[in-house]
Amino acid sequence: MASPYTPPYGPHRGKQPSLSQLRAFAAVAEHLHFRDAAAAIGMSQPALSGAVSALEEALGVQLLERTTRKVLLSPAGERLAVRARAVLDAVAELMEEAEAAQAPFTGVLRLGVIPTVAPYLLPTVLRLVHRRYPELDLQVHEEQTSSLLEGLAAGRLDLLLLAVPLGMPGVTELPLFDEDFVLVTPQGHPLAGRDDIPREALKELRLLLLDEGHCLRDQALDICREAGRTDGAEVTTTAAGLSTLVQLVAGGLGVTLLPRTAVTVETARNSALWTGLFTEPAPSRRIALAMRTGAARHAEFAELAQELRGAMKGLPVRVVADGA
C-alpha cells in the first residue's frame, strides 16, 4: 500500500529549470540574503523567492535552509550552485558568440588558395585584411583546386581564391579580375622579348607544364588546343611548381606559360629568362572568390570581393567591374 505522505521535495518529474530560476538561485547562493539577491538581479523579493521554490520543485531537492535570520545553502544547494553558475556563464558566452557572429569580418575565415595564385596575390590580400578587417582571423590553406572544392563542400573551408569557371553546382563565384598569359623563354629563343607572338606559335613549341592536378596545366593545354596544337605534340611535365618550371626554361629545356601576376616573382631572379607577349586577344584566365551557394556570410564575402577588386588595380590585371 502506497504511503499517503508526499515529501516536500519529491522525485524529479522531468521539469526543466528555467534560466530565470537558475539566475535567482545563483544570486541567493552568492548573497545568502533574499533582499540583496533580488536587488542584484533586478527582481522583486517575492518573485525571487518563488523562482527558487519552483527550481527546488523542478529539481526535486532542497537547495536552501531558510531561517528567520539568515539563508543557508543545503549540502545539495552548495553542489548545485556551482553547476547553476556554470550554466549561466555558458549561456552568457553563447550570447556573446552570437553577437560576435552578427558582426561582419570577425572570427575565423578559412581561405583556400591554389598554388599558382597564393605567392603572387596573398601579399595584396593580407595587406587588405590587416588594414580593413583587423578583427578577422584569416587562416590560409594552399591546395590544388580539387582539394579546395572538397574542403568547401565539407565545410572545412569557407572561401576559395582560384581560377574559374568551375562549373560546380552549389558553388557561387565572385569574379575579381582577368589576367593574360605570357610566354617565358630562355635567352636567345626566337620568340624572346617579342610583343606580337601569334597563338599559332604554340603549335610546335616544346612546352613545359605543371604536373597533373594543377588547373594552370589544364588552362595551358586548352590554350594550345585553341591554337591548333595536336595532342600528339611534345609536352614535358616535370615540374610541381612554377618556380621549378621557369628554371627548367632557363636551362633550355623548353618554354612555358605564366600568368602575368607571377612573371615578376618568377623571372626576376634569373637573367636567362625572357618573356614574350601575345597579340590581342591574348590568352587569359579569370580569378575569383568562390563560396557555397547560400552561405550565411554571403554579404560579407561579396564586400570582401569588392574590396579586393580595388586593392588589385595596381597589379597587371584587368579588374572585373562590379563582379560582372
Side-chain angles (χ1 to χ4, degrees):
M1 180 176 179
S3 171
Y5 173 72
T6 302
Y9 304 101
H12 177 52
R13 299 177 184 273
K15 296 180 180 178
Q16 292 292 324
S18 68
L19 289 177
S20 62
Q21 292 169 357
L22 292 175
R23 194 172 293 110
F25 171 55
V28 174
E30 179 181 353
H31 295 278
L32 295 178
H33 196 288
F34 276 95
R35 185 179 66 243
D36 293 346
I41 62 174
M43 181 182 287
S44 69
Q45 189 170 332
L48 179 86
S49 179
V52 174
S53 296
L55 180 63
E56 289 178 318
E57 182 181 353
L59 297 177
V61 295
Q62 182 179 353
L63 300 173
L64 303 176
E65 296 179 5
R66 301 165 177 83
T67 70
T68 56
R69 294 185 177 181
K70 58 182 177 180
V71 177
L72 297 176
L73 292 175
S74 69
E78 290 181 353
R79 294 169 56 188
L80 293 178
V82 176
R83 296 285 189 179
R85 176 47 57 192
V87 169
L88 293 172
D89 288 344
V91 170
E93 291 175 0
L94 175 67
M95 298 304 294
E96 290 175 1
E97 189 68 24
E99 291 177 2
Q102 294 176 9
F105 300 105
T106 60
V108 175
L109 173 58
R110 298 163 297 183
L111 176 67
V113 191
I114 56 175
T116 59
V117 162
Y120 321 113
L121 297 186
L122 278 180
T124 300
V125 174
L126 295 178
R127 279 195 300 270
L128 171 68
V129 169
H130 291 157
R131 176 174 54 84
R132 292 280 287 115
Y133 313 115
E135 300 301 317
L136 187 64
D137 180 9
L138 183 65
Q139 299 177 1
V140 177
H141 302 262
E142 184 184 49
E143 303 170 23
Q144 292 186 11
T145 299
S146 59
S147 177
L148 292 180
L149 290 172
E150 291 173 1
L152 186 69
R156 178 174 60 84
L157 299 172
D158 304 309
L159 191 64
L160 308 181
L161 180 60
L162 73 180
V164 295
L166 300 169
M168 290 286 295
V171 177
T172 296
E173 300 170 5
L174 302 172
L176 300 177
F177 62 83
D178 297 319
E179 66 174 328
D180 292 340
F181 286 100
V182 302
L183 186 69
V184 180
T185 71
Q187 187 176 13
H189 191 279
L191 298 178
R194 287 179 52 177
D195 60 3
D196 60 349
I197 301 173
R199 290 197 190 198
E200 291 73 19
L202 293 171
K203 287 183 180 180
E204 305 300 331
L205 293 175
R206 186 178 185 185
L207 192 65
L208 303 174
L209 298 176
L210 293 175
D211 291 335
E212 295 280 354
H214 289 275
C215 62
L216 185 58
R217 170 194 171 92
D218 297 330
Q219 292 161 354
L221 288 175
D222 287 342
I223 293 168
C224 291
R225 293 189 189 100
E226 291 172 3
R229 188 185 181 99
T230 63
D231 291 338
E234 184 179 7
V235 174
T236 304
T237 55
T238 56
L242 292 183
S243 295
T244 301
L245 198 63
V246 296
Q247 295 312 312
L248 295 176
V249 173
L253 297 186
V255 300
T256 195
L257 295 171
L258 279 189
R260 285 288 299 271
T261 53
V263 170
T264 299
V265 173
E266 300 299 347
T267 64
R269 293 170 292 184
N270 195 325
S271 59
L273 291 168
W274 283 60
T275 58
L277 303 180
F278 290 92
T279 55
E280 296 294 339
S284 64
R285 70 173 181 175
R286 172 163 288 190
I287 301 298
L289 292 178
M291 62 182 176
R292 289 182 295 276
T293 301
R297 302 171 76 176
H298 179 282
E300 183 179 340
F301 295 160
E303 179 181 335
L304 177 61
Q306 187 60 30
E307 292 290 337
L308 283 173
R309 292 183 194 109
M312 292 175 176
K313 287 182 178 179
L315 300 177
V317 302
R318 296 183 299 280
V319 173
V320 178
D322 299 323

